[in-house]
Amino acid sequence: MRSYRRRRPLLSVLLCALTVIAARPTAVDKRPGGGTDGDSGLSADVVRLYEEAAVATQQYEAGRREAEAQRERARRAEERLERQRRHIAALHEDLGRIARAQYRGSGGLPVAAQMILADSPDGLMRGQRAFSQADLAVNNAIARSRRAESRLAAAEAEAEAQWRVLEQRNTQLATLRASIARKLERARSLLQGRADASVAAGACRGAVRLDQPETESADAWVAPVKTYQLSASYGSSGARWASRHTGQDFAVPIGTPVRAVGTGRVVRVSCGGPFGIEIVLKHAGGFYTHYAHLASVAVDQGEHVSPGQWIGQSGNTGNSTGPHLHFEARITPETGSAVNPVSWLEERGVSV
């Protein structure tokens, strides 16, 4: 079962989740178990790619908004164009009515002929007035028609220009989108490749620090990731599990920041086995939380963490068939003591 709570459009999910990773790591950890210079260089390369993706994302969003505004302007120009067409058609109909009225009012003779054949001064004057009125009506109608045709030509040119600009903008956006996709794919590949190497070696490379906001959350408890889809749930069956699923899976892209759900201490950082790269935190009250299938860790064993603090990045390591975070709530740090993590979070005011 999937939950679409707090979903965003797929591009936004990918880019917003990955943009926050685009923060420069601190200096290489020199403590025992800390990252090496090679790890730092690779992490910096990944971060740089995410930074480029973040900039491209901002450009894309700005361009997308402009394209939508351009589309609206073009639509309004097309509406004005259609109104002008209808107006000119009505003016042409008016000219036809005037001509028909003149013919019927003169008994089938043109007004000029009636004036020539008039047999009295009064008849001549009436013919002259009729001729003047008809001529004025025709001239006015012709003038209105010409003005409308001029406006129509301007509207047509404006509509064509608007659509031409829109087409150019959309072409630029398509190119930008492809560039973003390539950069994100490369960044995910580098990050996951490093994670796979750690798991194969059965040894963590050490924490790679992420320069995150000082105050990520004012709440005592938070969800382990910000934006997600729920996939495999607690207690569900599956071919990959010996019995029942022991946690709640959050489907997120590789590299999504994983957060400590509450105040606690890191009691385990492991990089081998079915859970791949994993972290276990101990919380007050004797409860533990477990974060598995990670691509990297941002904390060391023994550290104290606060709610919302980034402790790692999601990945696809261990017994995993796709990028996601496997999250458990336990009564001991060991596998087999899990409780329903969704209910556990709900008891602490976190709805997922």
mmCIF file with all atom_site columns, all heavy atoms in Angstrom, residues 95-121:
data_model
loop_
_atom_site.group_PDB
_atom_site.id
_atom_site.type_symbol
_atom_site.label_atom_id
_atom_site.label_alt_id
_atom_site.label_comp_id
_atom_site.label_asym_id
_atom_site.label_entity_id
_atom_site.label_seq_id
_atom_site.pdbx_PDB_ins_code
_atom_site.Cartn_x
_atom_site.Cartn_y
_atom_site.Cartn_z
_atom_site.occupancy
_atom_site.B_iso_or_equiv
_atom_site.pdbx_formal_charge
_atom_site.auth_seq_id
_atom_site.auth_comp_id
_atom_site.auth_asym_id
_atom_site.auth_atom_id
_atom_site.pdbx_PDB_model_num
ATOM 1   N N   . LEU A 1 95  ? -22.109 46.650 -44.004 1.00 0.00 ? 95  LEU A N   1
ATOM 2   C CA  . LEU A 1 95  ? -21.968 47.229 -45.341 1.00 0.00 ? 95  LEU A CA  1
ATOM 3   C C   . LEU A 1 95  ? -22.977 46.634 -46.313 1.00 0.00 ? 95  LEU A C   1
ATOM 4   O O   . LEU A 1 95  ? -23.562 47.331 -47.150 1.00 0.00 ? 95  LEU A O   1
ATOM 5   C CB  . LEU A 1 95  ? -20.542 47.007 -45.859 1.00 0.00 ? 95  LEU A CB  1
ATOM 6   C CG  . LEU A 1 95  ? -19.438 47.838 -45.197 1.00 0.00 ? 95  LEU A CG  1
ATOM 7   C CD1 . LEU A 1 95  ? -18.071 47.391 -45.710 1.00 0.00 ? 95  LEU A CD1 1
ATOM 8   C CD2 . LEU A 1 95  ? -19.654 49.320 -45.467 1.00 0.00 ? 95  LEU A CD2 1
ATOM 9   N N   . GLY A 1 96  ? -23.176 45.342 -46.197 1.00 0.00 ? 96  GLY A N   1
ATOM 10  C CA  . GLY A 1 96  ? -24.152 44.691 -47.076 1.00 0.00 ? 96  GLY A CA  1
ATOM 11  C C   . GLY A 1 96  ? -25.561 45.201 -46.823 1.00 0.00 ? 96  GLY A C   1
ATOM 12  O O   . GLY A 1 96  ? -26.329 45.427 -47.772 1.00 0.00 ? 96  GLY A O   1
ATOM 13  N N   . ARG A 1 97  ? -25.900 45.386 -45.529 1.00 0.00 ? 97  ARG A N   1
ATOM 14  C CA  . ARG A 1 97  ? -27.244 45.888 -45.213 1.00 0.00 ? 97  ARG A CA  1
ATOM 15  C C   . ARG A 1 97  ? -27.444 47.313 -45.734 1.00 0.00 ? 97  ARG A C   1
ATOM 16  O O   . ARG A 1 97  ? -28.519 47.672 -46.228 1.00 0.00 ? 97  ARG A O   1
ATOM 17  C CB  . ARG A 1 97  ? -27.465 45.845 -43.706 1.00 0.00 ? 97  ARG A CB  1
ATOM 18  C CG  . ARG A 1 97  ? -27.753 44.448 -43.168 1.00 0.00 ? 97  ARG A CG  1
ATOM 19  C CD  . ARG A 1 97  ? -28.332 44.530 -41.763 1.00 0.00 ? 97  ARG A CD  1
ATOM 20  N NE  . ARG A 1 97  ? -27.381 45.139 -40.820 1.00 0.00 ? 97  ARG A NE  1
ATOM 21  C CZ  . ARG A 1 97  ? -26.498 44.437 -40.110 1.00 0.00 ? 97  ARG A CZ  1
ATOM 22  N NH1 . ARG A 1 97  ? -26.438 43.115 -40.266 1.00 0.00 ? 97  ARG A NH1 1
ATOM 23  N NH2 . ARG A 1 97  ? -25.686 45.044 -39.283 1.00 0.00 ? 97  ARG A NH2 1
ATOM 24  N N   . ILE A 1 98  ? -26.400 48.149 -45.604 1.00 0.00 ? 98  ILE A N   1
ATOM 25  C CA  . ILE A 1 98  ? -26.505 49.528 -46.090 1.00 0.00 ? 98  ILE A CA  1
ATOM 26  C C   . ILE A 1 98  ? -26.749 49.542 -47.603 1.00 0.00 ? 98  ILE A C   1
ATOM 27  O O   . ILE A 1 98  ? -27.614 50.276 -48.113 1.00 0.00 ? 98  ILE A O   1
ATOM 28  C CB  . ILE A 1 98  ? -25.231 50.319 -45.741 1.00 0.00 ? 98  ILE A CB  1
ATOM 29  C CG1 . ILE A 1 98  ? -25.145 50.542 -44.231 1.00 0.00 ? 98  ILE A CG1 1
ATOM 30  C CG2 . ILE A 1 98  ? -25.196 51.662 -46.478 1.00 0.00 ? 98  ILE A CG2 1
ATOM 31  C CD1 . ILE A 1 98  ? -23.821 51.128 -43.783 1.00 0.00 ? 98  ILE A CD1 1
ATOM 32  N N   . ALA A 1 99  ? -25.991 48.743 -48.319 1.00 0.00 ? 99  ALA A N   1
ATOM 33  C CA  . ALA A 1 99  ? -26.149 48.703 -49.776 1.00 0.00 ? 99  ALA A CA  1
ATOM 34  C C   . ALA A 1 99  ? -27.538 48.219 -50.156 1.00 0.00 ? 99  ALA A C   1
ATOM 35  O O   . ALA A 1 99  ? -28.179 48.764 -51.069 1.00 0.00 ? 99  ALA A O   1
ATOM 36  C CB  . ALA A 1 99  ? -25.080 47.790 -50.384 1.00 0.00 ? 99  ALA A CB  1
ATOM 37  N N   . ARG A 1 100 ? -28.007 47.175 -49.458 1.00 0.00 ? 100 ARG A N   1
ATOM 38  C CA  . ARG A 1 100 ? -29.350 46.663 -49.780 1.00 0.00 ? 100 ARG A CA  1
ATOM 39  C C   . ARG A 1 100 ? -30.424 47.682 -49.447 1.00 0.00 ? 100 ARG A C   1
ATOM 40  O O   . ARG A 1 100 ? -31.417 47.840 -50.171 1.00 0.00 ? 100 ARG A O   1
ATOM 41  C CB  . ARG A 1 100 ? -29.585 45.353 -49.022 1.00 0.00 ? 100 ARG A CB  1
ATOM 42  C CG  . ARG A 1 100 ? -28.736 44.185 -49.535 1.00 0.00 ? 100 ARG A CG  1
ATOM 43  C CD  . ARG A 1 100 ? -29.211 42.870 -48.941 1.00 0.00 ? 100 ARG A CD  1
ATOM 44  N NE  . ARG A 1 100 ? -29.024 42.828 -47.496 1.00 0.00 ? 100 ARG A NE  1
ATOM 45  C CZ  . ARG A 1 100 ? -27.906 42.396 -46.903 1.00 0.00 ? 100 ARG A CZ  1
ATOM 46  N NH1 . ARG A 1 100 ? -26.865 42.023 -47.642 1.00 0.00 ? 100 ARG A NH1 1
ATOM 47  N NH2 . ARG A 1 100 ? -27.815 42.375 -45.589 1.00 0.00 ? 100 ARG A NH2 1
ATOM 48  N N   . ALA A 1 101 ? -30.259 48.423 -48.318 1.00 0.00 ? 101 ALA A N   1
ATOM 49  C CA  . ALA A 1 101 ? -31.248 49.424 -47.921 1.00 0.00 ? 101 ALA A CA  1
ATOM 50  C C   . ALA A 1 101 ? -31.292 50.563 -48.940 1.00 0.00 ? 101 ALA A C   1
ATOM 51  O O   . ALA A 1 101 ? -32.363 51.075 -49.276 1.00 0.00 ? 101 ALA A O   1
ATOM 52  C CB  . ALA A 1 101 ? -30.916 49.969 -46.528 1.00 0.00 ? 101 ALA A CB  1
ATOM 53  N N   . GLN A 1 102 ? -30.133 50.979 -49.433 1.00 0.00 ? 102 GLN A N   1
ATOM 54  C CA  . GLN A 1 102 ? -30.105 52.026 -50.450 1.00 0.00 ? 102 GLN A CA  1
ATOM 55  C C   . GLN A 1 102 ? -30.848 51.600 -51.712 1.00 0.00 ? 102 GLN A C   1
ATOM 56  O O   . GLN A 1 102 ? -31.615 52.365 -52.296 1.00 0.00 ? 102 GLN A O   1
ATOM 57  C CB  . GLN A 1 102 ? -28.653 52.375 -50.807 1.00 0.00 ? 102 GLN A CB  1
ATOM 58  C CG  . GLN A 1 102 ? -27.913 53.149 -49.736 1.00 0.00 ? 102 GLN A CG  1
ATOM 59  C CD  . GLN A 1 102 ? -26.505 53.480 -50.170 1.00 0.00 ? 102 GLN A CD  1
ATOM 60  O OE1 . GLN A 1 102 ? -26.084 53.102 -51.253 1.00 0.00 ? 102 GLN A OE1 1
ATOM 61  N NE2 . GLN A 1 102 ? -25.787 54.190 -49.311 1.00 0.00 ? 102 GLN A NE2 1
ATOM 62  N N   . TYR A 1 103 ? -30.631 50.390 -52.096 1.00 0.00 ? 103 TYR A N   1
ATOM 63  C CA  . TYR A 1 103 ? -31.260 49.923 -53.324 1.00 0.00 ? 103 TYR A CA  1
ATOM 64  C C   . TYR A 1 103 ? -32.773 49.875 -53.168 1.00 0.00 ? 103 TYR A C   1
ATOM 65  O O   . TYR A 1 103 ? -33.519 50.335 -54.032 1.00 0.00 ? 103 TYR A O   1
ATOM 66  C CB  . TYR A 1 103 ? -30.707 48.542 -53.672 1.00 0.00 ? 103 TYR A CB  1
ATOM 67  C CG  . TYR A 1 103 ? -31.207 48.034 -55.001 1.00 0.00 ? 103 TYR A CG  1
ATOM 68  C CD1 . TYR A 1 103 ? -30.612 48.453 -56.184 1.00 0.00 ? 103 TYR A CD1 1
ATOM 69  C CD2 . TYR A 1 103 ? -32.284 47.145 -55.062 1.00 0.00 ? 103 TYR A CD2 1
ATOM 70  C CE1 . TYR A 1 103 ? -31.070 47.988 -57.412 1.00 0.00 ? 103 TYR A CE1 1
ATOM 71  C CE2 . TYR A 1 103 ? -32.750 46.679 -56.271 1.00 0.00 ? 103 TYR A CE2 1
ATOM 72  C CZ  . TYR A 1 103 ? -32.137 47.113 -57.460 1.00 0.00 ? 103 TYR A CZ  1
ATOM 73  O OH  . TYR A 1 103 ? -32.594 46.651 -58.650 1.00 0.00 ? 103 TYR A OH  1
ATOM 74  N N   . ARG A 1 104 ? -33.220 49.305 -52.011 1.00 0.00 ? 104 ARG A N   1
ATOM 75  C CA  . ARG A 1 104 ? -34.666 49.218 -51.809 1.00 0.00 ? 104 ARG A CA  1
ATOM 76  C C   . ARG A 1 104 ? -35.291 50.593 -51.637 1.00 0.00 ? 104 ARG A C   1
ATOM 77  O O   . ARG A 1 104 ? -36.380 50.864 -52.126 1.00 0.00 ? 104 ARG A O   1
ATOM 78  C CB  . ARG A 1 104 ? -34.963 48.367 -50.557 1.00 0.00 ? 104 ARG A CB  1
ATOM 79  C CG  . ARG A 1 104 ? -34.693 46.871 -50.750 1.00 0.00 ? 104 ARG A CG  1
ATOM 80  C CD  . ARG A 1 104 ? -35.297 46.079 -49.597 1.00 0.00 ? 104 ARG A CD  1
ATOM 81  N NE  . ARG A 1 104 ? -34.716 46.448 -48.320 1.00 0.00 ? 104 ARG A NE  1
ATOM 82  C CZ  . ARG A 1 104 ? -33.655 45.853 -47.776 1.00 0.00 ? 104 ARG A CZ  1
ATOM 83  N NH1 . ARG A 1 104 ? -33.051 44.868 -48.430 1.00 0.00 ? 104 ARG A NH1 1
ATOM 84  N NH2 . ARG A 1 104 ? -33.180 46.247 -46.595 1.00 0.00 ? 104 ARG A NH2 1
ATOM 85  N N   . GLY A 1 105 ? -34.616 51.535 -50.955 1.00 0.00 ? 105 GLY A N   1
ATOM 86  C CA  . GLY A 1 105 ? -35.174 52.860 -50.697 1.00 0.00 ? 105 GLY A CA  1
ATOM 87  C C   . GLY A 1 105 ? -35.264 53.713 -51.941 1.00 0.00 ? 105 GLY A C   1
ATOM 88  O O   . GLY A 1 105 ? -36.010 54.683 -51.988 1.00 0.00 ? 105 GLY A O   1
ATOM 89  N N   . SER A 1 106 ? -34.525 53.393 -52.955 1.00 0.00 ? 106 SER A N   1
ATOM 90  C CA  . SER A 1 106 ? -34.534 54.199 -54.167 1.00 0.00 ? 106 SER A CA  1
ATOM 91  C C   . SER A 1 106 ? -35.335 53.558 -55.288 1.00 0.00 ? 106 SER A C   1
ATOM 92  O O   . SER A 1 106 ? -35.239 53.977 -56.433 1.00 0.00 ? 106 SER A O   1
ATOM 93  C CB  . SER A 1 106 ? -33.097 54.422 -54.654 1.00 0.00 ? 106 SER A CB  1
ATOM 94  O OG  . SER A 1 106 ? -32.487 53.161 -54.951 1.00 0.00 ? 106 SER A OG  1
ATOM 95  N N   . GLY A 1 107 ? -36.094 52.517 -54.938 1.00 0.00 ? 107 GLY A N   1
ATOM 96  C CA  . GLY A 1 107 ? -36.899 51.858 -55.950 1.00 0.00 ? 107 GLY A CA  1
ATOM 97  C C   . GLY A 1 107 ? -36.087 51.127 -56.978 1.00 0.00 ? 107 GLY A C   1
ATOM 98  O O   . GLY A 1 107 ? -36.522 50.944 -58.106 1.00 0.00 ? 107 GLY A O   1
ATOM 99  N N   . GLY A 1 108 ? -34.899 50.757 -56.621 1.00 0.00 ? 108 GLY A N   1
ATOM 100 C CA  . GLY A 1 108 ? -34.053 49.990 -57.530 1.00 0.00 ? 108 GLY A CA  1
ATOM 101 C C   . GLY A 1 108 ? -33.086 50.844 -58.297 1.00 0.00 ? 108 GLY A C   1
ATOM 102 O O   . GLY A 1 108 ? -32.239 50.350 -59.017 1.00 0.00 ? 108 GLY A O   1
ATOM 103 N N   . LEU A 1 109 ? -33.191 52.200 -58.139 1.00 0.00 ? 109 LEU A N   1
ATOM 104 C CA  . LEU A 1 109 ? -32.273 53.095 -58.834 1.00 0.00 ? 109 LEU A CA  1
ATOM 105 C C   . LEU A 1 109 ? -31.219 53.608 -57.870 1.00 0.00 ? 109 LEU A C   1
ATOM 106 O O   . LEU A 1 109 ? -31.522 53.920 -56.727 1.00 0.00 ? 109 LEU A O   1
ATOM 107 C CB  . LEU A 1 109 ? -33.032 54.302 -59.408 1.00 0.00 ? 109 LEU A CB  1
ATOM 108 C CG  . LEU A 1 109 ? -33.979 54.017 -60.566 1.00 0.00 ? 109 LEU A CG  1
ATOM 109 C CD1 . LEU A 1 109 ? -34.720 55.305 -60.933 1.00 0.00 ? 109 LEU A CD1 1
ATOM 110 C CD2 . LEU A 1 109 ? -33.214 53.488 -61.773 1.00 0.00 ? 109 LEU A CD2 1
ATOM 111 N N   . PRO A 1 110 ? -29.998 53.754 -58.324 1.00 0.00 ? 110 PRO A N   1
ATOM 112 C CA  . PRO A 1 110 ? -28.975 54.350 -57.470 1.00 0.00 ? 110 PRO A CA  1
ATOM 113 C C   . PRO A 1 110 ? -29.378 55.765 -57.079 1.00 0.00 ? 110 PRO A C   1
ATOM 114 O O   . PRO A 1 110 ? -30.107 56.459 -57.812 1.00 0.00 ? 110 PRO A O   1
ATOM 115 C CB  . PRO A 1 110 ? -27.721 54.348 -58.337 1.00 0.00 ? 110 PRO A CB  1
ATOM 116 C CG  . PRO A 1 110 ? -27.986 53.315 -59.385 1.00 0.00 ? 110 PRO A CG  1
ATOM 117 C CD  . PRO A 1 110 ? -29.464 53.341 -59.616 1.00 0.00 ? 110 PRO A CD  1
ATOM 118 N N   . VAL A 1 111 ? -28.902 56.228 -55.932 1.00 0.00 ? 111 VAL A N   1
ATOM 119 C CA  . VAL A 1 111 ? -29.246 57.570 -55.452 1.00 0.00 ? 111 VAL A CA  1
ATOM 120 C C   . VAL A 1 111 ? -28.801 58.631 -56.468 1.00 0.00 ? 111 VAL A C   1
ATOM 121 O O   . VAL A 1 111 ? -29.516 59.609 -56.727 1.00 0.00 ? 111 VAL A O   1
ATOM 122 C CB  . VAL A 1 111 ? -28.595 57.820 -54.080 1.00 0.00 ? 111 VAL A CB  1
ATOM 123 C CG1 . VAL A 1 111 ? -28.810 59.268 -53.627 1.00 0.00 ? 111 VAL A CG1 1
ATOM 124 C CG2 . VAL A 1 111 ? -29.169 56.857 -53.058 1.00 0.00 ? 111 VAL A CG2 1
ATOM 125 N N   . ALA A 1 112 ? -27.606 58.477 -57.030 1.00 0.00 ? 112 ALA A N   1
ATOM 126 C CA  . ALA A 1 112 ? -27.118 59.474 -58.003 1.00 0.00 ? 112 ALA A CA  1
ATOM 127 C C   . ALA A 1 112 ? -28.056 59.577 -59.194 1.00 0.00 ? 112 ALA A C   1
ATOM 128 O O   . ALA A 1 112 ? -28.332 60.668 -59.710 1.00 0.00 ? 112 ALA A O   1
ATOM 129 C CB  . ALA A 1 112 ? -25.714 59.093 -58.468 1.00 0.00 ? 112 ALA A CB  1
ATOM 130 N N   . ALA A 1 113 ? -28.610 58.438 -59.656 1.00 0.00 ? 113 ALA A N   1
ATOM 131 C CA  . ALA A 1 113 ? -29.538 58.459 -60.798 1.00 0.00 ? 113 ALA A CA  1
ATOM 132 C C   . ALA A 1 113 ? -30.818 59.176 -60.431 1.00 0.00 ? 113 ALA A C   1
ATOM 133 O O   . ALA A 1 113 ? -31.399 59.911 -61.244 1.00 0.00 ? 113 ALA A O   1
ATOM 134 C CB  . ALA A 1 113 ? -29.834 57.024 -61.242 1.00 0.00 ? 113 ALA A CB  1
ATOM 135 N N   . GLN A 1 114 ? -31.292 58.972 -59.171 1.00 0.00 ? 114 GLN A N   1
ATOM 136 C CA  . GLN A 1 114 ? -32.514 59.661 -58.739 1.00 0.00 ? 114 GLN A CA  1
ATOM 137 C C   . GLN A 1 114 ? -32.314 61.181 -58.751 1.00 0.00 ? 114 GLN A C   1
ATOM 138 O O   . GLN A 1 114 ? -33.225 61.946 -59.113 1.00 0.00 ? 114 GLN A O   1
ATOM 139 C CB  . GLN A 1 114 ? -32.915 59.200 -57.331 1.00 0.00 ? 114 GLN A CB  1
ATOM 140 C CG  . GLN A 1 114 ? -33.347 57.728 -57.271 1.00 0.00 ? 114 GLN A CG  1
ATOM 141 C CD  . GLN A 1 114 ? -33.820 57.352 -55.888 1.00 0.00 ? 114 GLN A CD  1
ATOM 142 O OE1 . GLN A 1 114 ? -34.707 58.004 -55.345 1.00 0.00 ? 114 GLN A OE1 1
ATOM 143 N NE2 . GLN A 1 114 ? -33.195 56.317 -55.333 1.00 0.00 ? 114 GLN A NE2 1
ATOM 144 N N   . MET A 1 115 ? -31.133 61.619 -58.367 1.00 0.00 ? 115 MET A N   1
ATOM 145 C CA  . MET A 1 115 ? -30.867 63.057 -58.353 1.00 0.00 ? 115 MET A CA  1
ATOM 146 C C   . MET A 1 115 ? -30.884 63.610 -59.777 1.00 0.00 ? 115 MET A C   1
ATOM 147 O O   . MET A 1 115 ? -31.418 64.704 -60.042 1.00 0.00 ? 115 MET A O   1
ATOM 148 C CB  . MET A 1 115 ? -29.503 63.337 -57.690 1.00 0.00 ? 115 MET A CB  1
ATOM 149 C CG  . MET A 1 115 ? -29.471 63.025 -56.197 1.00 0.00 ? 115 MET A CG  1
ATOM 150 S SD  . MET A 1 115 ? -27.810 63.217 -55.520 1.00 0.00 ? 115 MET A SD  1
ATOM 151 C CE  . MET A 1 115 ? -27.535 64.958 -55.810 1.00 0.00 ? 115 MET A CE  1
ATOM 152 N N   . ILE A 1 116 ? -30.322 62.880 -60.721 1.00 0.00 ? 116 ILE A N   1
ATOM 153 C CA  . ILE A 1 116 ? -30.289 63.352 -62.103 1.00 0.00 ? 116 ILE A CA  1
ATOM 154 C C   . ILE A 1 116 ? -31.695 63.422 -62.685 1.00 0.00 ? 116 ILE A C   1
ATOM 155 O O   . ILE A 1 116 ? -32.044 64.350 -63.429 1.00 0.00 ? 116 ILE A O   1
ATOM 156 C CB  . ILE A 1 116 ? -29.394 62.428 -62.957 1.00 0.00 ? 116 ILE A CB  1
ATOM 157 C CG1 . ILE A 1 116 ? -27.931 62.554 -62.475 1.00 0.00 ? 116 ILE A CG1 1
ATOM 158 C CG2 . ILE A 1 116 ? -29.509 62.745 -64.433 1.00 0.00 ? 116 ILE A CG2 1
ATOM 159 C CD1 . ILE A 1 116 ? -26.996 61.564 -63.129 1.00 0.00 ? 116 ILE A CD1 1
ATOM 160 N N   . LEU A 1 117 ? -32.550 62.462 -62.335 1.00 0.00 ? 117 LEU A N   1
ATOM 161 C CA  . LEU A 1 117 ? -33.902 62.393 -62.880 1.00 0.00 ? 117 LEU A CA  1
ATOM 162 C C   . LEU A 1 117 ? -34.926 63.185 -62.086 1.00 0.00 ? 117 LEU A C   1
ATOM 163 O O   . LEU A 1 117 ? -36.118 63.151 -62.406 1.00 0.00 ? 117 LEU A O   1
ATOM 164 C CB  . LEU A 1 117 ? -34.339 60.926 -62.965 1.00 0.00 ? 117 LEU A CB  1
ATOM 165 C CG  . LEU A 1 117 ? -33.489 60.034 -63.884 1.00 0.00 ? 117 LEU A CG  1
ATOM 166 C CD1 . LEU A 1 117 ? -33.968 58.589 -63.795 1.00 0.00 ? 117 LEU A CD1 1
ATOM 167 C CD2 . LEU A 1 117 ? -33.544 60.540 -65.326 1.00 0.00 ? 117 LEU A CD2 1
ATOM 168 N N   . ALA A 1 118 ? -34.483 63.874 -61.040 1.00 0.00 ? 118 ALA A N   1
ATOM 169 C CA  . ALA A 1 118 ? -35.449 64.630 -60.205 1.00 0.00 ? 118 ALA A CA  1
ATOM 170 C C   . ALA A 1 118 ? -36.139 65.687 -61.064 1.00 0.00 ? 118 ALA A C   1
ATOM 171 O O   . ALA A 1 118 ? -35.498 66.376 -61.860 1.00 0.00 ? 118 ALA A O   1
ATOM 172 C CB  . ALA A 1 118 ? -34.712 65.274 -59.029 1.00 0.00 ? 118 ALA A CB  1
ATOM 173 N N   . ASP A 1 119 ? -37.470 65.836 -60.863 1.00 0.00 ? 119 ASP A N   1
ATOM 174 C CA  . ASP A 1 119 ? -38.243 66.789 -61.670 1.00 0.00 ? 119 ASP A CA  1
ATOM 175 C C   . ASP A 1 119 ? -38.607 68.046 -60.915 1.00 0.00 ? 119 ASP A C   1
ATOM 176 O O   . ASP A 1 119 ? -39.453 68.835 -61.380 1.00 0.00 ? 119 ASP A O   1
ATOM 177 C CB  . ASP A 1 119 ? -39.519 66.118 -62.184 1.00 0.00 ? 119 ASP A CB  1
ATOM 178 C CG  . ASP A 1 119 ? -40.350 65.538 -61.064 1.00 0.00 ? 119 ASP A CG  1
ATOM 179 O OD1 . ASP A 1 119 ? -39.930 65.681 -59.877 1.00 0.00 ? 119 ASP A OD1 1
ATOM 180 O OD2 . ASP A 1 119 ? -41.389 64.913 -61.354 1.00 0.00 ? 119 ASP A OD2 1
ATOM 181 N N   . SER A 1 120 ? -38.005 68.234 -59.722 1.00 0.00 ? 120 SER A N   1
ATOM 182 C CA  . SER A 1 120 ? -38.306 69.447 -58.947 1.00 0.00 ? 120 SER A CA  1
ATOM 183 C C   . SER A 1 120 ? -37.139 69.724 -58.012 1.00 0.00 ? 120 SER A C   1
ATOM 184 O O   . SER A 1 120 ? -36.353 68.821 -57.688 1.00 0.00 ? 120 SER A O   1
ATOM 185 C CB  . SER A 1 120 ? -39.597 69.271 -58.133 1.00 0.00 ? 120 SER A CB  1
ATOM 186 O OG  . SER A 1 120 ? -39.390 68.287 -57.110 1.00 0.00 ? 120 SER A OG  1
ATOM 187 N N   . PRO A 1 121 ? -37.029 70.968 -57.538 1.00 0.00 ? 121 PRO A N   1
ATOM 188 C CA  . PRO A 1 121 ? -35.964 71.280 -56.540 1.00 0.00 ? 121 PRO A CA  1
ATOM 189 C C   . PRO A 1 121 ? -36.090 70.450 -55.276 1.00 0.00 ? 121 PRO A C   1
ATOM 190 O O   . PRO A 1 121 ? -35.084 70.017 -54.714 1.00 0.00 ? 121 PRO A O   1
ATOM 191 C CB  . PRO A 1 121 ? -36.167 72.775 -56.285 1.00 0.00 ? 121 PRO A CB  1
ATOM 192 C CG  . PRO A 1 121 ? -36.821 73.289 -57.533 1.00 0.00 ? 121 PRO A CG  1
ATOM 193 C CD  . PRO A 1 121 ? -37.725 72.194 -57.999 1.00 0.00 ? 121 PRO A CD  1
#
